[in-house]
Amino acid sequence: MSVRAGILALLSEGDAYGLQLHGELEQRTDRVGRVNVGQIYSTLERLSGAELVSAAGSTSDGLPLYGITELGRAEADAWFGEWGVDYPTAWPDMVFKVQLCTSLGRPE
């Protein structure tokens, strides 16, 4: 499962804060407890450094929001369009992608 791609996919739908992204990934892909919250935040830092996400303000209670950049949107769109398989992680990755695409209404 690509946490990086999952975060970009979720942010392509709108701005979100870290814990929200964590919950959305788990809910949308039936992967409860499999993504560490720290992994979300460290991935957001790397995505920010790569200019794929940026600060997008904050919630009413002060939580920092992240938004996707045009470069990040292009990467997310490319990921949505890729359906190749890579053994040995092919099946779990494919299930993750199908569940996420379906929950986001992406027909690719």
Side-chain angles (χ1 to χ4, degrees), residues 21-80:
L21 291 166
H22 177 263
E24 290 283 325
L25 273 179
E26 289 194 339
Q27 178 189 18
R28 292 173 183 262
T29 62
D30 293 329
R31 298 182 80 81
V32 177
R34 296 199 182 149
V35 178
N36 183 306
V37 175
Q39 190 177 3
I40 298 294
Y41 286 102
S42 63
T43 302
L44 283 167
E45 284 182 33
R46 287 191 299 278
L47 291 170
S48 181
E51 299 182 355
L52 300 174
V53 302
S54 62
S58 60
T59 65
S60 60
D61 55 348
L63 296 172
L65 290 170
Y66 298 88
I68 194 167
T69 64
E70 288 303 314
L71 187 59
R73 187 170 303 281
E75 186 168 315
D77 288 343
W79 180 77
F80 280 122

